[in-house]
Amino acid sequence: MRVMFTGHRNIKSQGFIAIDDITVRKGACSNLNVCGFDSSLCGFENDVSRLGRWGRKKGTKQHVDHTYGTENGYYMTVMKSNNSHCAVAQLLTPEFTSDKDMCIRFWYWLPAKTLNVLRVHVMRSGDLGEALWSGAPTTGWEVAEVTLSSPAKFRVVFKGVYVAGMNTAVHIDDFSVKDGACSPSGSCDFESGQCTWINIPKEDGHDWVLANGGFQGPPTDHTTGTPEGRFLLSLPPRKTNGSRAQVVSEWIQVKDTTSCLTLWYHMDSSDSGMLRVYLRSPSEGDLLFQSNSSGHSWTRFSQSVKRSKPFQLLIESEANNRGFIAIDDISLTSGRCQVNETSLGFVGCTFENGTCDWEDISVGQSQWVRGRNATGDTGPSVDNTLGSQLGWYMAVESYNGDQMSPAALQSPAMKQASSTCTLHFHYNMYGEDIKELNVLLKDGSRTTTLWWQSGNHGDLWQHGEVTVGRTPQDFTILFEASRTFNKPGHIAIDDIDFTNCTLPEPQPVCPENMFMCNNSVCVESNQVCDFSDDCGDWSDENICEQQGVVERCSFEQGLCSWEESEVDTPGAEWTQHRGQEAWPKHGPPRDHTQNSDAGHYVVPGTHLTEKGQASEILSKTLLPSSNCTLRLFYYSLDDATTRLTAQSRTQRSGVDDTVLWLRENSQSYSWQRAEVTFSSSVNCKIVFRYEQSDGHRGLVALDDISFSKDCVFDPTNSELPDTSPTSAPPTTSPAPTSAPTNPCQDNEFFCWRSAGKVCILASLQCNYHPDCPQREDEDGCGPCTFESNECQWLDTSDGPRRWQRQKASDNTEPPTDHTTETGYYMSVNFNQVSTPIEARLQSPSLPPSSPYCQILFHFHISSECAGSLRVLMQQADGSEAILWSRSHNTVSHWTPEYLPLGLHQQRYKIWFSGMNKVTHDCPTSKDHIIAVDDISFLNCEQSFKPPALSAYDCSFEDGSCVWVQDAKDDLDWLSWSGPTDTPNTGPAGDHTTGIGKYLYIKSSPPSIKGNMAQLKSPLLPLAGGKGYCFTFWYHMFGPTVGSLRMFLRTAESLEKTLVWQKSGNQGDEWLLVQSHMTFQKVHQVILEATVGGEVGDIAIDDISLISGPCPTSDLCDFEEGSCNWQQQTTDDAEWVRQSGSTLNPNTGPDSDHTTNTPTGHYYYLPSSTADRAGHTAVMFSPLYPAGTGTCVQLWYHMYGKGMGTLNVYQQNEDGKKSQIFSQKGDQGRLWWFAQASLQPRTQSYRIVVEGVKAGPSQEGDMAFDDVQLIDAQCPPRGYCDFESNMCSWSNLGGGIDQGDWLRGKGASPNHNTGPRVDHTTDSTHGYYLYVDSLVGQRRDTSLLISDMFQPSTRGHCLTFWYHMYGNHGGTLRVLINDRKTHIGDSEDGILKWAETGNKGDKWQQARVDIKHEEAFWLVFVYLRGMNTGGDVALDDISILSGPCSSSDDTLSIGLGVGFTLLAGVIIALILFIMNRKRCEPAYNSA
């Protein structure tokens, strides 16, 4: 016997086939953990208590085994029974013992369309347990895995049921066992193989292969992020397109009907092909996802899957012959997919998918449980995440514990929290039995309270927030709650989140004004030696003497050099405390220095009881100093009625104290940082003064006070003088007010920075409107220039890059700030980053706003590689909405953006989110900067009332009025007067005066096709009952004009609604747009222009808003609606307003006539098999006054084998009508022009369009568009001199980049490439059609199509004048076309005439005989030559019945007769003269 290996290599494919380490040994193959049933039963045996039997069976060609895939292998099958009933067979494995998880794997075949059953059980001591797995019907071998464990001996039981009468039975093969739990169904990280994912062989396809980094795929896997990690890779065979690879999961049986599917994918480029994910059941398959790009990085796909029956996941790649597609880390978890779950080791939770490893560790008589939709005293009815009864939260319930202790919910262990680490959560505390809810920090053996609340707070979700603070070792967070359970009520928490918790990442270099830590982290210079470990290794706090910072106190060893005051309330000294002793009566539960209850701080005198009493603590004496900075941390909770200030004192009595700093936020569970810079020309002391008021005193404390190295102290600590010094008092920027006491009432705000004793109502603080002279009432309320500080804007980034305040200089990017050009801005640098990360800048809590609120900010993106800037807003349900984003670099240093925020009835927040761009084209070594400056809020005060509509009018003579550019587009609208720079496009002047200004987009380079510019209005009020008329004028002239659109956008959803659009050349004239606005929401109007090509300038002018409806227009293009055209109610069918293609194939238009795009609108009459011959659909126009309109024009489309008849009528107001146009049958795939003269009327009339069905058919969709009434007579059919318009001639095909025929004249200020004079008038003021030869490439075509003409036995004569001037100018052709030809081999038509080359600077006439047996149309085609200059033009085209030769013969005969008669007369005259001369002598002689 010999063994032969045969390999077949596909020469088109990549990869290889290899074999190695061949071993042959005596005996059967044996492996205790693997059994393929090929040589024995491997110890498996039948359960003799059952009638049915499993048997070992050899494969057949129809049923091959799984091990070998041939008829030579064996498998186990339930043997068919002669019993008329079901036969149950149980196959038992050998005994196993494992108290740890083990995974069994097997292959099974459960034929579809049978009633047979296969289940897996565990049998212990002869007892059969519940089914652990049930098989789904299959069409072949499928794999399955089941996790088992038992401390006692057990057997695995395969229970098969054979139903009598079935042709096939149940099979199993290739049983195996491995230690450890199986991968969850459908899940795999591919590090140990393909799990249960199996390739499906495809003819002419390829396989997914298990690969690691660098194997012609991505450089690393997703699981480990290393080249050694493994993933599935699809590499197409060489030189093939569309090769498919499919891999399928096992049959998945979910316990919950909803699961979350997540996978990561990586695609080399958009040329890699297409990735698809299907959900497959026995009866159907649903496409879940498809993509052709992943942005050159691992990208996450996640989607909730709802199924109650078994299903499979199928992943398919349809690959091109270049690039790759890879997948990794597929997971299927119970519950719906959730977004924004915290990562990076700081474990938050929404509780929608479980508890996220948060664990109830209660031992008392209550416990935390996960719940939803609770009633009574078990929890609220809705959660905070979803705001619905379906959402989950954690609530406190009674428990049978034996200790009197609160319910405790503990987080997973976390480590190394940064100094800015902040915990966010939502809580709901409702009922009379509520005792308290506490948040604790458990750090080693010490537990410190961070946050606490007690009592009834109403049945609503409220936000809780507290800074966790710097925690260098492992820690956990605990939520402890206690209730009495004797009355209805509940305590619940939801949406736990950690922000800004990771330690900062090292940087290769630090900016000039920043400090580099020992670990290469960069921190602000003013944060060095302030008792906060901002570096993460304490190196910013361990070198203070070297930094010159010597005057600092943490109060751990006492009061340092701080001393009592002589002028405060006696006995009210500041005293040192620590949290575990002072809390909850006198101080916070933790200090700032150690972030624990063992640390120390100082609190003001605890015996202050009356209003006006004060407690002071004084620093050492400072000598005259410049730019001295005081830094401190303060704690203030429930202390709004008192006043805490830092003051500069130059006299011992304190009568002329200067306020340097005033505590503003009095409601926070966190230690807050403050700093102030001041200068003094005389000796002074710094005084912290705490003043009692009438109200309740809360918790207040100071800690970690430090002075910068610029502060110079008197080593002798000399006393201050008793009298006022002659020198000026110290100053700060801005200058503080001398105000040692608060002169304002309790309900007032003290304008402490303004001169004098200015008090305003407390309700005016943070209302978007500065009421204090120095604007201090709006400090920290949102607006910020960043010149002095961050205005409470906070970096909340979780990643390694953070927003930082940057001073502009020649070495920064950008080199200037927006405010002063030399000041400060906020920026984030994404250099040295090779993975996608996000950096967030969070606003302070913003006040409620008006519906017209907008934010104005200035931003800078240094390069394409910098990434994107987004603006996010907090929604009412706690989620985030993306308000705005921009992903390309800014041209100038600073770009402004106005962004609607709209109505907010509660406080809210916004974020600036910077996200880096990771591509192979972006070097990580360079700086990639995103910056923001000068944030302000417009029209946000709740009392704001919008101005009159006329305030939004604009003629653009002096700027853009209240209209602003959109900053996320590619172009700006430019202010201009006179012609634009590009020939053959743009207006000659503005619309207002002809010599004024207008706005336009420049289409010539550097603009490129697709570039867009948007112009935005402010937020406009509700349109009201009658609405308003929005009008503007536009100019769209040129061979490659793009599109102009008008949108409405609401401030609520930021969704844009298209209300009007035009595309392509509209002629060299200003045109009016009127739109009746009836929008009953606060909204914004957006005018958006898109570049179509290099010669396509678009201009706008004279925007106007007038209350009430717009005047009736004589033109309706159906772009905005029906123009008050109405359906007749007594007909048989309805006309339908449509865009794009109609629903039926082989009929109807693909686009409208107005815009010639799939987005334009028209009306069409659908056809169906239910139609009956003679059925009608009627639409009629609004009434037109008698005496208006002489000619009606429209465009119609009638394509399809089942086409009926289109009729147009003129109908009097009394109902009498007369037919003015009719067309019947299939007219081909084009839009056709129709016109009809209107009969004079003495009463108002309508235009009626009627569609008549031909019978049952799905190929009879007819349409009409662009109905217009004109007051002039209808132009003669077949003739056009182009003086007024293009008559029935229209541009067609060739693509917008290849250029249209343009209507122009020689006298245009826009110098075009047409002739100097037209043919009709022979003047510079006459019009003609021409092609811009400066546009396009050689052999580009421009097509001009005529109306349709009916055949004539006499034929037709085409006469036209043409002008072709210039070398290598191209070719002009005339073609004839009909429906058969158009559908057949020659779409353009049959050539009838052609002329090529330079014909001189003159007009030439051409005549072409047309003899055609079908209805036809004519096409002028200009084919560009090599030369980009020169002219081609047409004028005075006529198509007359009869041959051209007949008119020539008549003229010849006439001329011949005329010449003959003239010759006869001349001869007779000569003979007469000669005879007279002969006779003269006789006369004379006589």
Side-chain angles (χ1 to χ4, degrees):
M1 181 181 70
R2 288 184 176 180
V3 176
M4 180 172 67
F5 293 90
T6 303
H8 297 277
R9 172 72 188 278
N10 184 348
I11 61 173
K12 296 181 179 179
S13 66
Q14 302 178 55
F16 51 81
I17 301 173
I19 59 175
D20 198 3
D21 296 337
I22 300 172
T23 302
V24 179
R25 65 175 183 268
K26 291 183 179 181
C29 300
S30 62
N31 186 335
L32 294 178
N33 293 325
V34 177
C35 184
F37 305 107
D38 290 298
S39 56
S40 69
L41 293 180
C42 311
F44 282 67
E45 60 186 21
N46 275 288
D47 184 349
V48 295
S49 66
R50 296 292 184 175
L51 294 177
R53 290 289 182 270
W54 286 85
R56 181 168 163 265
K57 184 176 181 180
K58 188 176 182 181
T60 65
K61 289 185 178 180
Q62 290 74 29
H63 286 281
V64 299
D65 83 323
H66 177 264
T67 313
Y68 301 142
T70 70
E71 62 268 29
N72 297 318
Y74 288 81
Y75 55 87
M76 297 297 293
T77 184
V78 176
M79 308 303 291
K80 295 180 182 180
S81 170
N82 294 325
N83 195 325
S84 59
H85 302 290
C86 297
V88 178
Q90 293 187 169
L91 182 66
L92 280 59
T93 67
E95 282 190 337
F96 295 99
T97 302
S98 175
D99 57 355
K100 296 182 180 179
D101 286 340
M102 55 183 280
C103 179
I104 65 166
R105 178 186 177 107
F106 58 94
W107 291 79
Y108 69 99
W109 190 336
L110 184 59
K113 298 182 180 180
T114 68
L115 300 177
N116 300 330
V117 177
L118 175 64
R119 295 192 177 101
V120 174
H121 301 254
V122 167
M123 180 180 284
R124 301 180 183 89
S125 303
D127 294 331
L128 192 68
E130 295 291 328
L132 302 177
W133 176 92
S134 296
T138 70
T139 57
W141 289 105
E142 298 281 355
V143 69
E145 290 185 344
V146 182
T147 299
L148 306 170
S149 66
S150 175
K153 292 182 178 181
F154 67 93
R155 284 183 164 188
V156 180
V157 179
F158 290 92
K159 183 175 182 179
V161 178
Y162 170 73
V163 178
M166 297 290 105
N167 293 326
T168 56
V170 182
H171 319 308
I172 65 170
D173 201 0
D174 292 336
F175 174 89
S176 62
V177 181
K178 65 178 182 180
D179 292 334
C182 309
S183 297
S185 295
S187 302
C188 194
D189 62 9
F190 303 106
E191 296 306 313
S192 301
Q194 291 188 205
C195 308
T196 58
W197 286 84
I198 308 299
N199 275 293
I200 301 177
K202 300 288 290 184
E203 187 175 352
D204 297 327
H206 62 285
D207 282 347
W208 290 89
V209 296
L210 194 64
N212 52 21
F215 177 67
Q216 302 181 40
T220 64
D221 77 328
H222 177 263
T223 314
T224 68
T226 66
E228 292 76 29
R230 307 176 89 182
F231 46 82
L232 281 189
L233 179 67
S234 165
L235 282 174
R238 291 194 183 100
K239 299 181 180 179
T240 61
N241 270 324
S243 176
R244 299 191 181 197
Q246 291 183 338
V247 64
V248 68
S249 72
E250 64 185 295
W251 284 96
I252 299 166
Q253 305 172 39
V254 293
K255 295 180 181 179
D256 296 325
T257 58
T258 302
S259 304
C260 177
L261 168 66
T262 302
L263 64 85
W264 292 80
Y265 64 98
H266 194 304
M267 305 177 73
D268 188 27
S269 68
S270 59
D271 293 332
S272 298
M274 184 69 71
L275 174 68
R276 300 182 181 93
V277 180
Y278 295 90
L279 187 146
R280 190 167 75 166
S281 64
S283 59
E284 60 182 353
D286 296 331
L287 178 65
L288 296 181
F289 167 75
Q290 67 177 5
S291 176
N292 63 357
S293 175
S294 68
H296 302 286
S297 63
W298 285 104
T299 301
R300 183 176 185 261
F301 161 70
S302 181
Q303 182 169 321
S304 296
V305 175
K306 189 172 183 180
R307 282 292 185 276
S308 58
K309 296 181 178 180
F311 63 90
Q312 287 179 303
L313 297 170
L314 186 147
I315 301 176
E316 175 186 82
S317 73
E318 183 177 356
N320 294 331
N321 60 3
R322 53 181 175 228
F324 60 79
I325 301 176
I327 55 175
D328 202 0
D329 291 335
I330 306 171
S331 67
L332 193 69
T333 57
S334 175
R336 285 174 299 197
C337 298
Q338 294 295 316
V339 296
N340 296 332
E341 292 285 1
T342 311
S343 57
L344 298 175
F346 296 92
V347 185
C349 198
T350 65
F351 303 106
E352 298 304 315
N353 294 329
T355 63
C356 315
D357 294 328
W358 284 72
E359 181 184 7
D360 176 73
I361 58 171
S362 309
V363 294
Q365 295 178 345
S366 57
Q367 65 177 354
W368 288 96
V369 294
R370 180 169 170 260
R372 64 176 175 182
N373 190 21
T375 57
D377 62 352
T378 55
S381 58
V382 299
D383 78 329
N384 182 71
T385 313
L386 304 178
S388 76
Q389 297 175 349
L390 301 176
W392 295 85
Y393 49 75
M394 296 295 291
V396 177
E397 288 189 358
S398 59
Y399 185 54
N400 57 359
D402 56 2
Q403 298 184 27
M404 295 297 293
S405 61
L409 181 68
Q410 180 173 271
S411 73
M414 295 171 274
K415 65 177 64 176
Q416 288 283 4
S418 71
S419 60
T420 54
C421 181
T422 303
L423 166 67
H424 301 265
F425 59 95
H426 283 78
Y427 64 94
N428 189 314
M429 301 174 65
Y430 175 63
E432 299 178 10
D433 76 332
I434 303 300
K435 285 193 172 180
E436 59 186 7
L437 173 65
N438 295 331
V439 181
L440 311 174
L441 171 66
K442 188 175 181 181
D443 181 3
S445 60
R446 185 177 299 279
T447 301
T448 303
T449 300
L450 302 180
W451 183 97
W452 63 98
Q453 198 63 265
S454 61
N456 183 1
H457 291 262
D459 190 7
L460 73 162
W461 288 100
Q462 303 188 60
H463 178 250
E465 176 182 332
V466 65
T467 301
V468 176
R470 180 75 176 101
T471 310
Q473 59 269 4
D474 293 358
F475 67 94
T476 58
I477 297 294
L478 289 129
F479 284 87
E480 287 191 351
S482 57
R483 292 181 51 196
T484 60
F485 295 102
N486 57 5
K487 292 182 180 180
H490 55 247
I491 301 178
I493 59 172
D494 200 1
D495 292 336
I496 302 172
D497 188 24
F498 292 88
T499 60
N500 211 19
C501 287
T502 56
L503 294 179
E505 292 290 323
Q507 305 294 322
V509 64
C510 291
E512 194 174 304
N513 61 332
M514 299 188 73
F515 171 81
M516 176 168 275
C517 311
N518 291 347
N519 57 8
S520 297
V521 167
C522 302
V523 301
E524 296 280 353
S525 297
N526 61 351
Q527 293 179 303
V528 176
C529 296
D530 65 350
F531 292 102
S532 177
D533 178 20
D534 300 297
C535 289
D537 64 354
W538 295 98
S539 57
D540 57 329
E541 301 299 319
N542 293 334
I543 53 168
C544 295
E545 290 189 8
Q546 300 175 27
Q547 293 289 319
V549 180
V550 293
E551 194 60 39
R552 54 200 299 264
C553 188
S554 66
F555 301 105
E556 294 303 317
Q557 306 299 325
L559 299 182
C560 307
S561 59
W562 291 85
E563 56 191 11
E564 300 176 7
S565 169
E566 298 176 358
V567 297
D568 61 357
T569 302
E573 294 81 11
W574 287 73
T575 53
Q576 179 201 38
H577 291 272
R578 59 179 177 178
Q580 60 191 18
E581 300 165 351
W583 187 72
K585 291 184 178 180
H586 303 304
R590 56 175 173 160
D591 77 329
H592 176 264
T593 318
Q594 298 184 16
N595 194 34
S596 79
D597 61 358
H600 293 80
Y601 48 75
V602 292
V603 299
T606 57
H607 301 296
L608 302 179
T609 57
E610 298 179 9
K611 180 179 180 180
Q613 290 184 336
S615 176
E616 293 184 347
I617 188 170
L618 279 67
S619 72
K620 287 173 61 176
T621 301
L622 283 96
L623 299 175
S625 303
S626 177
N627 296 320
C628 171
T629 299
L630 165 68
R631 302 169 299 185
L632 65 133
F633 288 86
Y634 69 96
Y635 191 99
S636 181
L637 180 67
D638 297 331
D639 200 47
T641 60
T642 64
R643 186 167 184 260
L644 176 64
T645 56
Q647 302 176 178
S648 172
R649 178 167 296 175
T650 57
Q651 297 184 65
R652 190 183 305 174
S653 63
V655 293
D656 288 329
D657 280 6
T658 300
V659 175
L660 302 178
W661 171 80
L662 172 70
R663 177 198 61 194
E664 294 178 350
N665 187 358
S666 60
Q667 187 62 31
S668 176
Y669 289 90
S670 305
W671 283 95
Q672 300 176 76
R673 188 181 188 276
E675 72 173 54
V676 61
T677 300
F678 62 95
S679 299
S680 177
S681 59
V682 297
N683 288 4
C684 66
K685 287 179 180 287
I686 299 303
V687 180
F688 285 100
R689 180 180 176 88
Y690 180 80
E691 297 178 33
Q692 182 66 37
S693 184
D694 289 333
H696 164 77
R697 169 175 172 167
L699 299 181
V700 63
L702 292 176
D703 200 3
D704 294 338
I705 304 172
S706 59
F707 292 85
S708 69
K709 62 182 179 182
D710 300 301
C711 307
V712 182
F713 284 87
D714 181 357
T716 63
N717 194 21
S718 59
E719 293 289 336
L720 296 177
D722 287 329
T723 58
S724 175
T726 56
S727 301
T731 60
T732 64
S733 296
T737 301
S738 297
T741 59
N742 183 355
C744 302
Q745 302 298 317
D746 290 344
N747 64 341
E748 292 180 328
F749 175 84
F750 176 37
C751 300
W752 56 275
R753 205 161 56 216
S754 302
K757 298 179 180 180
V758 180
C759 300
I760 63 172
L761 290 175
S763 60
L764 298 179
Q765 185 185 10
C766 287
N767 67 346
Y768 295 109
H769 183 273
D771 296 287
C772 291
Q774 292 293 330
R775 310 170 71 96
E776 57 264 48
D777 57 315
E778 297 301 313
D779 284 357
C781 303
C784 196
T785 64
F786 304 105
E787 292 307 301
S788 301
N789 51 46
E790 291 89 349
C791 312
Q792 297 191 30
W793 284 79
L794 178 66
D795 175 81
T796 59
S797 309
D798 281 332
R801 292 294 180 265
R802 301 181 182 277
W803 288 89
Q804 296 176 328
R805 184 165 162 262
Q806 176 71 54
K807 181 172 176 58
S809 71
D810 292 339
N811 298 321
T812 63
E813 174 65 29
T816 63
D817 79 320
H818 180 263
T819 317
T820 66
E821 296 190 355
T822 59
Y824 290 82
Y825 54 83
M826 297 296 292
S827 70
V828 57
N829 189 350
F830 286 117
N831 66 347
Q832 301 294 332
V833 178
S834 58
T835 57
I837 58 172
E838 179 186 20
R840 288 197 173 195
L841 181 64
Q842 176 182 287
S843 74
S845 180
L846 300 173
S849 62
S850 79
Y852 305 94
C853 181
Q854 296 189 83
I855 182 175
L856 167 61
F857 61 94
H858 295 74
F859 69 98
H860 174 84
I861 302 177
S862 64
S863 67
E864 295 286 349
C865 294
S868 64
L869 175 65
R870 300 185 301 165
V871 179
L872 312 176
M873 183 169 68
Q874 183 185 56
Q875 302 281 75
D877 61 359
S879 62
E880 297 171 3
I882 300 175
L883 300 185
W884 176 92
S885 66
R886 170 158 169 164
S887 57
H888 54 275
N889 63 301
T890 47
V891 177
S892 58
H893 286 329
W894 294 101
T895 300
E897 177 61 305
Y898 296 77
L899 192 60
L901 298 178
L903 175 67
H904 288 272
Q905 296 178 336
Q906 304 293 330
R907 301 185 76 87
Y908 64 102
K909 292 180 181 179
I910 62 173
W911 291 265
F912 287 98
S913 166
M915 300 187 70
N916 66 320
K917 181 177 182 181
V918 180
T919 68
H920 300 301
D921 302 328
C922 293
T924 59
S925 58
K926 294 186 178 180
D927 288 344
H928 303 310
I929 305 294
I930 297 176
V932 172
D933 199 5
D934 287 345
I935 302 170
S936 60
F937 296 81
L938 310 176
N939 305 333
C940 292
E941 55 269 30
Q942 291 183 296
S943 60
F944 176 80
K945 301 295 181 185
L949 286 173
S950 59
Y952 306 102
D953 294 355
C954 195
S955 65
F956 303 107
E957 297 302 315
D958 188 19
S960 58
C961 311
V962 296
W963 293 76
V964 298
Q965 309 270 1
D966 191 294
K968 67 178 180 180
D969 51 20
D970 315 286
L971 297 176
D972 280 344
W973 289 89
L974 305 176
S975 177
W976 203 258
S977 62
T980 61
D981 291 338
T982 308
N984 297 306
T985 188
D990 79 326
H991 172 263
T992 316
T993 64
I995 58 174
K997 293 183 178 181
Y998 57 89
L999 295 188
Y1000 89 106
I1001 66 161
K1002 185 177 182 180
S1003 60
S1004 56
S1007 300
I1008 59 174
K1009 183 181 179 181
N1011 280 172
M1012 181 181 69
Q1014 290 188 340
L1015 189 70
K1016 305 184 298 185
S1017 73
L1019 287 172
L1020 302 171
L1022 283 65
K1026 295 183 179 180
Y1028 67 90
C1029 183
F1030 183 90
T1031 68
F1032 69 98
W1033 292 80
Y1034 71 96
H1035 190 283
M1036 298 174 67
F1037 173 62
T1040 59
V1041 174
S1043 62
L1044 178 62
R1045 297 182 176 93
M1046 179 167 67
F1047 295 93
L1048 291 186
R1049 180 168 68 181
T1050 65
E1052 298 173 357
S1053 63
L1054 296 178
E1055 292 180 353
K1056 293 197 303 183
T1057 302
L1058 179 66
V1059 294
W1060 177 90
Q1061 66 174 351
K1062 283 285 183 185
S1063 297
N1065 173 43
Q1066 302 298 319
D1068 190 6
E1069 59 184 326
W1070 285 99
L1071 299 170
L1072 175 66
V1073 178
Q1074 295 185 143
S1075 181
H1076 184 207
M1077 300 293 193
T1078 58
F1079 213 47
Q1080 299 305 317
K1081 292 182 178 180
V1082 174
H1083 60 282
Q1084 186 178 45
V1085 177
I1086 301 174
L1087 297 177
E1088 175 188 284
T1090 304
V1091 175
E1094 293 187 7
V1095 187
D1097 295 347
I1098 298 175
I1100 58 173
D1101 202 0
D1102 292 336
I1103 296 175
S1104 176
L1105 286 74
I1106 302 172
S1107 181
C1110 300
T1112 302
S1113 173
D1114 294 333
L1115 167 67
C1116 185
D1117 56 17
F1118 304 115
E1119 294 306 308
E1120 296 182 51
S1122 68
C1123 310
N1124 293 322
W1125 281 66
Q1126 298 180 37
Q1127 306 271 358
Q1128 184 169 298
T1129 57
T1130 58
D1131 54 6
D1132 307 300
E1134 297 287 314
W1135 290 88
V1136 177
R1137 184 167 172 263
Q1138 178 76 1
S1139 62
S1141 302
T1142 61
L1143 300 180
N1144 292 326
N1146 303 317
T1147 187
D1150 295 325
S1151 61
D1152 75 328
H1153 176 263
T1154 316
T1155 69
N1156 196 27
T1157 66
T1159 57
H1161 290 83
Y1162 56 87
Y1163 267 92
Y1164 91 106
L1165 179 58
S1167 57
S1168 74
T1169 54
D1171 292 342
R1172 294 295 177 264
H1175 278 187
T1176 61
V1178 176
M1179 278 194 78
F1180 54 86
S1181 73
L1183 280 171
Y1184 295 107
T1188 62
T1190 307
C1191 177
V1192 61
Q1193 298 176 333
L1194 61 85
W1195 290 81
Y1196 66 92
H1197 195 287
M1198 300 174 69
Y1199 165 54
K1201 296 177 182 178
M1203 186 57 60
T1205 303
L1206 178 68
N1207 298 318
V1208 181
Y1209 300 91
Q1210 182 180 2
Q1211 183 182 46
N1212 287 350
E1213 192 173 6
D1214 60 10
K1216 294 180 180 179
K1217 64 181 181 181
S1218 56
Q1219 188 178 85
I1220 55 177
F1221 174 81
S1222 182
Q1223 185 63 274
K1224 182 179 181 180
D1226 183 5
Q1227 302 299 314
R1229 298 177 179 175
L1230 304 176
W1231 283 97
W1232 296 109
F1233 176 77
Q1235 64 179 5
S1237 296
L1238 295 171
Q1239 302 173 11
R1241 299 292 181 184
T1242 58
Q1243 56 181 278
S1244 299
Y1245 66 93
R1246 290 185 173 92
I1247 302 300
V1248 178
V1249 176
E1250 177 188 60
V1252 184
K1253 303 278 189 175
S1257 173
Q1258 288 185 310
E1259 295 186 20
D1261 296 352
M1262 68 177 70
F1264 71 97
D1265 199 3
D1266 292 337
V1267 185
Q1268 182 176 17
L1269 264 64
I1270 59 174
D1271 290 327
Q1273 293 294 328
C1274 293
R1277 180 172 171 78
Y1279 175 75
C1280 193
D1281 59 13
F1282 306 107
E1283 294 304 311
S1284 300
N1285 50 41
M1286 292 177 64
C1287 308
S1288 62
W1289 292 87
S1290 59
N1291 282 290
L1292 177 75
I1296 192 170
D1297 275 336
Q1298 294 182 256
D1300 286 343
W1301 287 86
L1302 307 175
R1303 179 172 164 266
K1305 59 182 179 179
S1308 172
N1310 263 335
H1311 303 296
N1312 58 44
T1313 55
R1316 291 168 297 152
V1317 297
D1318 77 326
H1319 176 263
T1320 313
T1321 68
D1322 194 28
S1323 72
T1324 58
H1325 300 287
Y1327 285 86
Y1328 49 78
L1329 294 189
Y1330 74 101
V1331 173
D1332 184 0
S1333 58
L1334 296 176
V1335 177
Q1337 307 296 322
R1338 184 184 181 190
R1339 303 195 66 80
D1340 280 354
T1341 57
S1342 296
L1343 287 81
L1344 184 71
I1345 184 172
S1346 76
D1347 191 8
M1348 185 179 292
F1349 293 87
Q1350 296 302 318
S1352 170
T1353 56
R1354 298 178 57 217
H1356 291 81
C1357 178
L1358 166 66
T1359 304
F1360 60 94
W1361 292 82
Y1362 65 97
H1363 190 286
M1364 297 177 69
Y1365 179 50
N1367 294 326
H1368 309 290
T1371 301
L1372 179 64
R1373 295 171 179 167
V1374 177
L1375 296 91
I1376 188 170
N1377 209 336
D1378 57 36
R1379 289 190 294 272
K1380 292 181 180 178
T1381 307
H1382 186 63
I1383 297 173
D1385 296 334
S1386 179
E1387 185 177 349
D1388 293 337
I1390 302 168
L1391 181 66
K1392 299 295 291 184
W1393 179 93
E1395 196 65 81
T1396 301
N1398 182 7
K1399 301 303 175 185
D1401 189 8
K1402 60 183 178 179
W1403 285 98
Q1404 313 237 21
Q1405 187 186 39
R1407 291 181 174 182
V1408 182
D1409 274 307
I1410 305 297
K1411 197 84 171 176
H1412 211 69
E1413 295 180 355
E1414 302 284 340
F1416 67 91
W1417 62 89
L1418 297 173
V1419 183
F1420 283 93
V1421 180
Y1422 177 63
L1423 186 67
R1424 281 168 178 75
M1426 292 185 296
N1427 192 5
T1428 57
D1431 304 338
V1432 60
L1434 294 171
D1435 203 1
D1436 294 335
I1437 304 174
S1438 66
I1439 305 169
L1440 302 177
S1441 180
C1444 301
S1445 57
S1446 65
S1447 57
D1448 292 345
D1449 292 344
T1450 302
L1451 179 60
S1452 300
I1453 293 170
L1455 287 174
V1457 172
F1459 279 123
T1460 302
L1461 291 173
L1462 179 60
V1465 171
I1466 293 172
I1467 292 170
L1469 182 60
I1470 292 172
L1471 291 173
F1472 172 75
I1473 294 173
M1474 290 176 64
N1475 285 331
R1476 182 169 182 175
K1477 287 186 177 181
R1478 241 187 246 126
C1479 296
E1480 274 183 357
Y1483 293 145
N1484 293 335
S1485 62

